[in-house]
Amino acid sequence: MDILDCHPIAADMRSEVLDALNRRPRHLPSKYFYDARGAQLFEAICELPEYYPTRTEIGILEQALPQISTELGPGRWVVEPGSGSGIKTRMLLEALEQPRAYVPIDISKRQLSTYGEQLLQDYPTLLVRPICADFTQDLKLPAEMSAPVIWFPGSTIGNFSPREAGAFLHRLRRWGEGRAELLIGVDLRKDRTTLEAAYNDAQGVTAEFNRNLLLHINRALGADFQPETFQHAARWNEEIGAIQMFLLSQRSQHCRIDGHGIDLAEGEEICTEYSYKYAPQQFSAMASDAGWREHALYTDCKGWFGLFHLR
């Protein structure tokens, strides 16, 4: 297994965090949720009774993959922006007829190596061609690849703003030089009660996940946030069509990050995540604007989640 290293430029966490906190309204980049503890907490979130997306998408895959495999045919290359989707990626690889190769793309070379070695043990005949790159940027895929199946499960597209999501879909189209097929998971619009419950679980795991972002910043940047002084909140914003997660300062406080001071008023909010939800026709229209045609849409019986097959 050879990793194609595109030498992605590492994000300057200090600059990103300070810039985000000094803007109005204040926010923090959600990508910094996922230190080791954050990844563990997110796995726990996926098992919560209120958090429907993971189990709903898995249920859709169990029903839809036989048909999808027949339509895709044998010997396909699978390209996944972001590696390590675990059970869902393995479900796809096992459903496909003699998949030719798997190309995970991730900014972490260590994660690519670990994940690639695990796959080679389980699928010894599969060609694994990891690419170390920022998948939100333009890149070139292996020259021998033809008509790839791009695999983007998990409703990660919801963490992009609609404008960013449209640009990302357009970039994916260029990867396949107009011959790719895209399987993408999308969380669909539903009632406010269900949406807000999914991000405000009764056990408080999502609250711990949210506050862990501050612990990560403390460790990485020498900051002095006191997570216990922040309250977790998640609200549905009908105007923009997204769940927003916040950390609310429960008192006036002065926090320092690597020598820079941040003054927070009592009740002041820091937005930590946007999770956009789409009506099916809304997402299809956005995909069409980016050069994709909807071939099929697979949903659960409640219409809560959609797996789009685009060409």
Side-chain angles (χ1 to χ4, degrees), residues 133-294:
D134 180 350
F135 67 73
T136 66
Q137 305 299 316
D138 286 324
L139 57 90
K140 288 193 175 182
L141 297 174
E144 68 270 31
M145 184 184 67
S146 176
V149 177
I150 301 174
W151 172 235
F152 200 56
S155 72
T156 306
I157 193 71
N159 295 131
F160 296 89
S161 71
R163 180 184 60 81
E164 293 167 338
F168 180 64
L169 290 170
H170 192 271
R171 184 173 294 112
L172 294 184
R173 180 181 173 275
R174 292 202 301 271
W175 285 5
E177 298 178 345
R179 301 191 307 278
E181 299 192 49
L182 173 60
L183 297 173
I184 183 168
V186 180
D187 198 6
L188 302 178
R189 285 209 183 201
K190 55 191 68 68
D191 64 281
R192 176 189 293 269
T193 300
T194 300
L195 285 167
E196 292 188 344
Y199 295 83
N200 291 289
D201 64 277
Q203 297 179 47
V205 181
T206 309
E208 187 178 352
F209 172 74
N210 202 7
R211 283 190 283 263
N212 183 71
L213 173 60
L214 299 179
L215 290 174
H216 183 198
I217 292 171
N218 283 352
R219 288 191 300 269
L221 301 179
D224 63 357
F225 287 108
Q226 298 178 45
E228 68 276 8
T229 67
F230 290 83
Q231 179 183 352
H232 162 77
R235 299 192 296 269
W236 170 248
N237 186 327
E238 180 67 34
E239 183 177 351
I240 65 173
I243 281 282
Q244 291 176 270
M245 285 209 318
F246 299 91
L247 290 168
L248 282 67
S249 179
Q250 297 181 281
R251 68 186 190 199
S252 297
Q253 53 186 306
H254 180 77
C255 308
R256 298 193 66 79
I257 303 176
D258 192 25
H260 292 262
I262 303 290
D263 289 307
L264 296 170
E266 181 178 357
E268 189 167 0
E269 298 178 333
I270 301 172
C271 184
T272 56
E273 184 179 47
Y274 289 83
S275 185
Y276 287 86
K277 316 299 179 184
Y278 292 94
Q281 63 273 19
Q282 180 186 14
F283 187 80
S284 294
M286 183 169 66
S288 178
D289 289 342
W292 295 95
R293 173 177 56 84
E294 182 183 316

Side-chain angles (χ1 to χ4, degrees), residues 7 9 15 21 23-24 39 42 59 61 106 114 121 124 130 142 158 181 217 222 236 238 243 267 281 290:
H7 303 287
I9 299 173
S15 296
L21 285 174
R23 290 178 180 268
R24 296 293 188 279
F42 185 71
L61 291 172
D106 199 275
T114 301
Q121 291 178 17
E181 299 192 49
I217 292 171
W236 170 248
E238 180 67 34
I243 281 282
Q281 63 273 19

Side-chain angles (χ1 to χ4, degrees), residues 57-73 78 87-97 149 151 153 183 298 307 309:
E57 186 176 28
I58 289 174
I60 293 170
L61 291 172
E62 290 172 344
Q63 297 295 319
L65 278 176
Q67 166 111 13
I68 291 171
S69 176
T70 298
E71 294 186 354
L72 292 177
V78 176
I87 185 173
K88 287 178 279 189
T89 296
R90 290 170 182 269
M91 288 175 70
L92 177 64
L93 292 174
E94 290 171 8
L96 291 176
E97 183 181 353
V149 177
W151 172 235
L183 297 173
Y298 304 93
L307 178 67
H309 182 177

